[in-house]
Amino acid sequence: MDVDKVAVFASVGIAIVVAAFILWGPSPKPRKKGKVIGINNLGYTCFLNSLLQALAACPMFIGWVKKQNEKMERATFIPSLLSVFEKINGYTEDLYGDVTPVEIISSLGNQWKFAPGHQDVHELFHVVLSALQAEIQPVNRKGCLSDALPQSPVMVPDTKKSDTRYNDPITFRSVSCNDIVSVNNSNIPNGFDRNCNNHVMSSTTSVSNIPMTHNKPGMILARSSELLSKSIGSKESKDSFKPWSSLCTMPFSNVPPMSVEVHPFSGLLTSQLQCSRCKWKSAVHYDKLETVSLPLPPMGPYIKSHHTLEELLTRFVSSEVVQDVLCDGCGMRCVATKTLTLGKLPKCLCLHISRTTWSSSGVPIKRDDPVKFPEILALDPYTFTETRKRNARGDPEATMLLTNRTTSQDKHKYQLRAIVEHRGPVDSGHFVCYRRGNKAGQWLYTSDNVVEGISFIEVSCATPYLLFYERVNSI
């Protein structure tokens, strides 16, 4: 028997063995029901995967999506989102295979405009909320009171006028996503930090405060009213000043009119101005709230070991100094203080830690300052009602003591559900998610299709970019 015949018989034998294994071999085991699974990365989609994992850990939000799905007849995005949530959390009938978020991308249609290098999970979150709000709008609905809320202008970063990239609100991103090769550093490999379990801290250039060549009308000079007296004597700008009423609104772009039915992340912010000259106060203005963006304090000569979420929220509701405002009380151009508070609290809360800052040359860089966050967060001190009480007591700056207070008497408590973390520099890196599991006290680390059980101590070491909380009645 020659070699060729031996080879033929061997090939036939191997084929028979493989076929027999496929037909009669052991079948794959199904996953346990209620077991959280990962999501396949389709290429530059870690920001989508981390957001889906975070939202899948919010039972109040999922319950709302289910309710809307039962009412909708022609919706496409809502059933797609609910289907993916059920697959991720292991509550679908199909307990085989991985989760692939193709249906989410296809159901978003032309709202999916995330090119490589411009993939920010915070922006994607607003796209998701916009798609949800668009589908729950009644076809022939009548106007409601909330539609009268002012639509605020788009906030454009104040950078070098010659570079149009930074003046375009569409291309401005806080941080970018996985798999992106840095424009400024060609040594970063494609697929940077993919499914990385070790905590990665990118080296960040220390940036001092960007000097201002002149004070523009309406520009925030400081976060504390302590600087008010210093600012009154400052040189007035030659530019045309903004009217009083235009400074009472927060800048939100592309916010659809709020209908009677709103998603659980919907709330209201309040803002009010007070003239430093005549002490006249403007009417309270309300703005629509979907996320609360909390900027990090300016970098100074003394670097803190860490910030706390309560400190950032305290800074958020502290008075701001605004100059060159036309007062409706005395009719004079003046320096005013602006107070911003939480008006109507949402059922689900998304906090955004703004980590992008600008160097003196106008280059965006990312700050990796550690921010400590509680498992139970009380929002009572940051509400309009509590701020008004402090003002009535003549102690408007009492917010500085908020970090030392107890939460036993608070009514508005929120439980941490998930954290989205960005690893890497501003224009590349990877998004991961720390989320609650389906079991009591269970915490999970997810990175695309990797899912691992971890302790809350490990979760507390994360560097948060987005934090998701849900309101609880009792703890």
Side-chain angles (χ1 to χ4, degrees), residues 44 178-191 427-428:
Y44 310 105
N178 184 23
D179 327 321
I180 310 299
V181 178
S182 173
V183 176
N184 299 324
N185 186 1
S186 59
N187 295 326
I188 297 178
N190 193 23
D427 55 356
S428 63

Side-chain angles (χ1 to χ4, degrees), residues 9-75:
F9 284 119
S11 301
V12 173
I14 293 174
I16 293 174
V17 171
V18 171
F21 181 82
I22 294 175
L23 293 175
W24 297 288
S27 58
K29 295 182 179 180
R31 295 186 299 270
K32 293 182 179 179
K33 204 169 187 66
K35 181 181 179 180
V36 175
I37 62 171
I39 310 173
N40 289 330
N41 193 317
L42 304 177
Y44 310 105
T45 59
C46 68
F47 72 123
L48 171 61
N49 295 348
S50 61
L51 178 61
L52 291 175
Q53 289 284 7
L55 293 177
C58 300
M60 189 176 295
F61 176 70
I62 294 178
W64 178 85
V65 174
K66 288 181 178 179
K67 179 182 176 182
Q68 299 304 316
N69 187 54
E70 293 172 356
K71 299 191 305 183
M72 299 291 106
E73 294 181 358
R74 299 182 179 180

Side-chain angles (χ1 to χ4, degrees), residues 297-467:
M299 297 183 68
Y302 303 102
I303 301 176
K304 295 185 62 176
S305 60
H306 68 273
H307 311 286
T308 67
L309 190 59
E310 291 87 350
E311 289 173 358
L312 299 184
L313 283 167
T314 298
R315 188 170 177 266
F316 180 78
V317 299
S318 298
S319 298
E320 298 172 339
V321 178
V322 187
Q323 79 159 19
D324 284 339
V325 180
L326 179 60
C327 176
D328 291 342
C330 61
M332 303 289 291
R333 292 177 64 181
C334 65
V335 175
T337 57
K338 178 180 177 180
T339 303
L340 189 69
T341 56
L342 302 177
K344 179 183 178 182
L345 297 177
K347 296 178 180 179
C348 302
L349 177 68
C350 177
L351 299 174
H352 166 232
I353 310 298
S354 181
R355 295 186 172 275
T356 299
T357 187
W358 304 88
S359 67
S360 57
S361 59
V363 177
I365 61 173
K366 179 192 166 190
R367 293 177 59 178
D368 280 309
D369 304 37
V371 176
K372 300 298 181 182
F373 47 89
E375 193 170 2
I376 301 298
L377 175 67
L379 291 184
D380 296 63
Y382 318 106
T383 60
F384 175 76
T385 303
E386 288 295 321
T387 303
R388 186 169 57 179
K389 290 180 181 179
R390 288 193 297 270
N391 290 335
R393 294 194 300 264
D395 193 16
E397 295 301 323
T399 53
M400 298 305 172
L401 304 176
L402 294 179
T403 54
N404 298 323
R405 64 193 303 279
T406 60
T407 61
S408 58
Q409 301 299 322
D410 292 321
K411 298 179 181 179
H412 308 295
K413 296 180 181 179
Y414 287 73
Q415 184 185 50
L416 181 65
R417 302 303 306 182
I419 304 101
V420 174
E421 177 185 71
H422 177 263
R423 299 176 173 183
V426 69
D427 55 356
S428 63
H430 183 56
F431 284 104
V432 298
C433 176
Y434 300 85
R435 55 157 293 182
R436 287 185 181 271
N438 295 323
K439 299 178 181 179
Q442 182 185 40
W443 279 95
L444 303 171
Y445 165 86
T446 68
S447 174
D448 291 334
N449 55 2
V450 172
V451 178
E452 297 178 351
I454 55 174
S455 66
F456 184 74
I457 296 178
E458 295 174 277
V459 174
S460 63
C461 295
T463 305
Y465 179 56
L466 294 182
L467 297 110

Side-chain angles (χ1 to χ4, degrees), residues 222-242:
R223 273 279 174 179
S224 172
S225 58
E226 296 174 359
L227 299 181
L228 179 59
S229 58
K230 300 179 182 179
S231 304
I232 294 177
S234 62
K235 183 179 179 181
E236 292 184 350
S237 173
K238 298 181 180 179
D239 298 339
S240 59
F241 56 88
K242 293 186 178 182

